[in-house]
Amino acid sequence: MFRFRVSLATVLLSLLTGAVAQDANTTACQSNLTMAGAAPNNTKVLILGGGMAGVIAARTLHEQGIDDFVIVEAKHVFGGRMAQTTFGVNGSQYVLEKGPNWVHGTQTGSGPANPVWLLAQKHNLSMVQSDLFSNICVFDVYAIRCFHLPFFDYNGPNDYSATFNASLTAFNNAIVLAGERWQQNKTDLDLRSAYNYMGVAPKTPQEQACEYYQIDYDASQTSTLAAAWNYNYTFVPEAGGFSDVDMLCVDQRGFACIVQAEAATFLNTSQVLFNQIVKTIQYNQNGVTVQTTDGYNLTADHALVTFSAGVLQNTDVVFDPVLPDWKREAISSIEMPVYTKIFLQFEKKFWFDTGVGLYADQQRGRYPIWESLDLPGLFNGSGIIFVTVTGDYANYLEQLNKNITQVQLEVMEVLRRMYPDAPDPIDIWLPMWGRDPLFRGSYSNWGASFVPEHAYNLSVPVNGHLWFAGEATSVKYFGFLHGAYLEGQNAANNIAACIKNPQRCPPTT
Ligand SMILES: Cc1cc2nc3c(=O)[nH]c(=O)nc-3n(C[C@H](O)[C@H](O)[C@H](O)COP(=O)(O)OP(=O)(O)OC[C@H]3O[C@@H](n4cnc5c(N)ncnc54)[C@H](O)[C@@H]3O)c2cc1C
Ligand SMILES: *[C@@H]1O[C@H](CO)[C@@H](O)[C@H](O)[C@H]1NC(C)=O
Ligand SMILES: *[C@@H]1O[C@H](CO)[C@@H](O)[C@H](O)[C@H]1NC(C)=O
Ligand SMILES: *[C@@H]1O[C@H](CO)[C@@H](O)[C@H](O)[C@H]1NC(C)=O
Ligand SMILES: *[C@@H]1O[C@H](CO)[C@@H](O)[C@H](O)[C@H]1NC(C)=O
Ligand SMILES: *[C@@H]1O[C@H](CO)[C@@H](O)[C@H](O)[C@H]1NC(C)=O
Ligand SMILES: *[C@@H]1O[C@H](CO)[C@@H](O)[C@H](O)[C@H]1NC(C)=O
Ligand SMILES: *[C@@H]1O[C@H](CO)[C@@H](O)[C@H](O)[C@H]1NC(C)=O
Ligand SMILES: *[C@@H]1O[C@H](CO)[C@@H](O)[C@H](O)[C@H]1NC(C)=O
Ligand SMILES: *[C@@H]1O[C@H](CO)[C@@H](O)[C@H](O)[C@H]1NC(C)=O
Ligand SMILES: *[C@@H]1O[C@H](CO)[C@@H](O)[C@H](O)[C@H]1NC(C)=O
Ligand SMILES: *[C@@H]1O[C@H](CO)[C@@H](O)[C@H](O)[C@H]1NC(C)=O
Ligand SMILES: *[C@@H]1O[C@H](CO)[C@@H](O)[C@H](O)[C@H]1NC(C)=O
């Protein structure tokens, strides 16, 4: 019975999305762009990285009439952190998102539109509006729109919804407090200090789990001001944001489809160099030379670096000469924590019928947020649920995952505190963002020592020819896909302006 129902669901999904078989270098949304022939050399612009920021930068140059550029990307597909995996046992497999899953914020009336929301519509991405269904709730850093959580702690079900409500109020008050303090030229506070100042001090496991739900890093490590800007400009229309609506991607072509399909509308093979890892970036007053692991030396007038903050913080890519102090200080100041989803598949669903369940462990951050994908409109009948962990706990988990059985033992120990009769899963898997040398973390975050100058300096070009973009360089939308999109667009517009009119080029030193 179970298998029949699942395969029916799979058939319906593939009819819905037209999913097709994929080979190693081609996806449903990316035509075969495997490079053939000599490496392009001596271009006007090298775009380093083919994630959201890099592809949108390329499209923007193209729109500006500049086609003499090459995207250099380590992987064989576009998308970067937008990446999918096929998960589940034979006969019950689903394309799930290892990385981003939501479009955060859409549009309110004729206010500003989230460009990723527009791109998703352009490419007919299958999405579920999270709050169309009152029983589907979405968890993310600042998404606090679900009031139908089932609550658990280490003794089983326990309704601490009043505690949850209080934590929502505390977070919103912190956002307002940050705005007041900014206006009054007062210093930023880390969230822990802000909460203390407001007389809120989560102590019990239940209080800590509720707080965690809104702040997926250790609260003491997060800047209240940066968090408030990030939240307001994305979710609060009155503060210039898009909307408080979240769209969950359920497209079996993968979320990255929107980047891959967009690239296919304007790129040709000679503008792409896949499977090349950038090793060194040499720059001077005249231009740049980029060396890759395969020994290509690519010269250009300009290079746009879109690698993650985690990559820039490591020595994977060598800058020659070393970046100036102000730039290195900015790169060092942003944080690149890990956010990990652990996917579990069971023979059949035995858990709550809402999108999210909250679990309060005695140890803060231990398997707190459980999200069901086995819901009408999502992957009904899939038997799939996932649990997220972040920060130090996610680092520990990447270590533990040398042996997946160890992870399963821990996760099931917690799940059986929620559901004592839970059977063993039939499949389990987790991505390892922290260990991946192409990312070294999940997405950026500003810590307790946030100084706005550092955020501004991340995107400032170096020596007139070396440019920077990506989610981390966005002061308003760091961490988000729309941050990466808008930063790629902005940098490319500035590069185009400089190419067309040297007087608009940034200073050289
Ligand atoms: C688990 C997870 C969940 C997330 N959830 C959401 C969400 O729901 N909604 C949301 O808006 N955002 C979410 N994000 C954040 C979102 O993924 C990022 O903001 C966005 O994808 C960043 O795009 P980018 O172009 O700046 O960087 P990237 O996608 O990192 O692009 C950089 C590119 O550079 C390449 N590269 C790196 N090093 C080298 C090298 N040495 N040589 C050549 N190429 C190299 C990489 O392969 C990559 O393709 C999530 C991220 C993760 C990891
Ligand atoms: C994919 O790309 C790599 C590197 O360019 C190449 O070696 C491989 O043959 C390609 N695979 C297919 C199926 O085209
Ligand atoms: C992709 O390119 C490779 C190498 O050029 C070629 O062998 C392969 O058949 C192509 N695949 C598709 C789907 O076109
Ligand atoms: C690339 O162009 C530069 C500058 O014209 C030249 O010196 C170099 O030899 C070229 N490299 C290759 C691999 O063609
Ligand atoms: C690809 O684009 C470049 C830049 O516009 C152009 O010079 C080249 O001729 C194009 N190649 C093909 C095969 O269309
Ligand atoms: C899954 O199915 C494929 C094709 O039917 C088969 O080759 C493979 O061995 C199966 N894998 C498992 C784990 O059963
Ligand atoms: C999206 O769907 C519409 C309506 O079915 C169709 O006209 C359009 O061509 C599709 N666009 C893309 C990019 O697939
Ligand atoms: C929590 O807030 C929600 C939404 O405002 C409300 O419906 C619910 O009754 C509150 N619960 C408690 C226990 O206060
Ligand atoms: C965020 O928006 C709220 C509501 O509009 C406002 O009160 C607050 O000052 C804003 N915070 C910041 C840091 O701008
Ligand atoms: C904050 O500082 C700015 C710039 O120094 C100044 O113009 C403004 O009056 C100050 N505001 C307050 C409330 O002190
Ligand atoms: C690239 O440059 C390095 C150092 O300048 C040199 O050793 C190497 O031979 C060059 N490779 C190619 C393919 O030109
Ligand atoms: C979802 O699955 C449940 C059983 O798991 C079934 O009763 C229900 O009809 C399904 N709903 C849809 C919309 O397929
Ligand atoms: C993985 O962990 C399990 C449970 O502790 C253990 O039984 C098994 O021997 C371990 N496997 C390896 C290869 O270490």
Side-chain angles (χ1 to χ4, degrees):
M1 254 333 256
F2 165 68
R3 295 228 171 268
F4 172 72
R5 204 174 63 232
V6 169
S7 51
L8 186 64
T10 309
V11 167
L12 288 175
L13 267 170
S14 45
L15 285 177
L16 203 67
T17 60
V20 299
Q22 304 175 2
D23 77 65
N25 296 334
T26 310
T27 74
C29 302
Q30 179 177 302
S31 54
N32 195 345
L33 284 168
T34 303
M35 206 211 52
N41 189 22
N42 240 342
T43 53
K44 279 216 162 51
V45 188
L46 286 173
I47 297 172
L48 306 180
M52 178 64 88
V55 169
I56 295 304
R59 192 197 66 192
T60 304
L61 288 179
H62 172 75
E63 287 164 354
Q64 293 277 355
I66 296 167
D67 285 298
D68 187 13
F69 61 79
V70 173
I71 303 178
V72 185
E73 167 57 49
K75 302 211 280 185
H76 60 269
V77 286
F78 291 122
R81 276 169 264 178
M82 304 184 86
Q84 70 254 31
T85 185
T86 302
F87 175 77
V89 296
N90 264 355
S92 183
Q93 294 188 318
Y94 296 82
V95 172
L96 303 182
E97 299 299 330
K98 301 198 276 190
N101 218 153
W102 287 273
V103 177
H104 288 298
T106 54
Q107 185 176 22
T108 303
S110 56
N114 181 338
V116 176
W117 163 238
L118 301 179
L119 194 62
Q121 287 173 290
K122 176 178 177 185
H123 296 293
N124 291 341
L125 195 78
S126 300
M127 293 174 280
V128 175
Q129 185 174 334
S130 300
D131 43 10
L132 263 184
F133 307 87
S134 62
N135 67 334
I136 292 180
C137 312
V138 170
F139 163 72
D140 198 72
V141 200
Y142 307 117
I144 44 176
R145 282 163 290 280
C146 167
F147 299 99
H148 302 276
L149 302 182
F151 295 93
F152 303 86
D153 62 26
Y154 46 90
N155 289 320
N158 176 5
D159 181 4
Y160 47 90
S161 51
T163 306
F164 186 75
N165 281 8
S167 77
L168 290 179
T169 306
F171 181 75
N172 285 320
N173 288 345
I175 298 294
V176 172
L177 178 68
E180 285 168 6
R181 293 182 64 86
W182 175 249
Q183 300 248 302
Q184 296 161 6
N185 295 340
K186 291 184 177 166
T187 57
D188 183 24
L189 294 176
D190 63 81
L191 264 169
R192 168 65 48 244
S193 309
Y195 276 33
N196 282 341
Y197 179 78
M198 299 184 303
V200 181
K203 287 184 195 68
T204 67
Q206 294 79 6
E207 287 168 343
Q208 290 184 351
C210 291
E211 183 199 67
Y212 183 98
Y213 184 85
Q214 291 139 63
I215 310 152
D216 63 358
Y217 308 112
D218 188 316
S220 60
Q221 292 172 4
T222 293
S223 153
T224 310
L225 179 61
W229 280 341
N230 196 262
Y231 178 83
N232 277 0
Y233 288 122
T234 294
F235 295 117
V236 184
E238 301 76 38
F242 306 127
S243 78
D244 67 357
V245 173
D246 286 318
M247 301 299 294
L248 178 72
C249 171
V250 292
D251 200 308
Q252 292 297 286
R253 298 171 300 174
F255 198 1
C257 181
I258 64 174
V259 169
Q260 294 161 353
E262 187 68 1
T265 64
F266 68 93
L267 277 180
N268 73 38
T269 31
S270 64
Q271 292 167 310
V272 188
L273 199 49
F274 280 134
N275 301 304
Q276 289 299 317
I277 297 173
V278 171
K279 291 309 286 181
T280 60
I281 301 173
Q282 293 172 293
Y283 62 98
N284 58 31
Q285 291 92 328
N286 304 314
V288 290
T289 303
V290 168
Q291 290 185 12
T292 71
T293 34
D294 282 5
Y296 288 114
N297 294 337
L298 309 167
T299 64
D301 293 348
H302 300 276
L304 173 61
V305 180
T306 73
F307 304 149
S308 78
V311 168
L312 296 180
Q313 284 166 353
N314 281 274
T315 51
D316 307 298
V317 180
V318 175
F319 288 88
D320 177 15
V322 292
L323 292 170
D325 287 346
W326 58 267
K327 179 64 90 177
R328 287 191 296 123
E329 183 179 323
I331 291 169
S332 310
S333 299
I334 199 164
E335 292 170 7
M336 189 72 182
V338 182
Y339 162 109
T340 306
K341 307 175 189 181
I342 308 161
F343 298 113
L344 297 148
Q345 186 178 46
F346 293 89
E347 202 61 52
K348 70 183 206 320
K349 175 171 147 181
F350 55 82
W351 54 88
F352 45 84
D353 290 319
T354 58
V356 181
L358 190 59
Y359 167 77
D361 196 84
Q362 278 160 305
Q363 180 183 350
R364 190 184 192 279
R366 190 164 178 265
Y367 308 107
I369 318 277
W370 292 78
E371 296 178 70
S372 178
L373 291 176
D374 190 339
L375 285 168
L378 303 186
F379 306 130
N380 204 37
S382 64
I384 298 175
I385 188 169
F386 67 98
V387 56
T388 50
V389 292
T390 58
D392 288 345
Y393 209 87
N395 290 330
Y396 157 74
L397 205 66
E398 291 199 359
Q399 182 69 24
L400 192 68
N401 193 32
K402 285 176 180 158
N403 181 348
I404 187 80
T405 314
Q406 300 278 4
V407 177
Q408 181 173 322
L409 283 173
E410 273 211 8
V411 170
M412 290 310 297
E413 198 265 320
V414 164
L415 191 56
R416 287 187 180 121
R417 285 180 179 271
M418 299 161 67
Y419 296 97
D421 299 329
D424 278 336
I426 54 177
D427 202 3
I428 177 170
W429 186 80
L430 60 147
M432 306 245 266
W433 289 103
R435 294 185 168 218
D436 191 329
L438 298 180
F439 303 101
R440 299 208 184 272
S442 297
Y443 47 93
S444 67
N445 186 53
W446 286 106
S449 62
F450 176 63
V451 183
E453 212 65 33
H454 287 153
Y456 305 138
N457 281 348
L458 276 180
S459 64
V460 174
V462 172
N463 214 359
H465 298 271
L466 191 58
W467 306 72
F468 293 83
E471 57 81 4
T473 69
S474 174
V475 178
K476 289 182 175 179
Y477 314 108
F478 60 88
F480 289 123
L481 284 166
H482 48 274
Y485 182 115
L486 292 167
E487 289 298 294
Q489 185 176 53
N490 187 51
N493 277 326
N494 289 338
I495 294 169
C498 163
I499 289 172
K500 291 174 184 177
N501 178 0
Q503 294 197 318
R504 296 191 56 189
C505 290
T508 54
T509 49

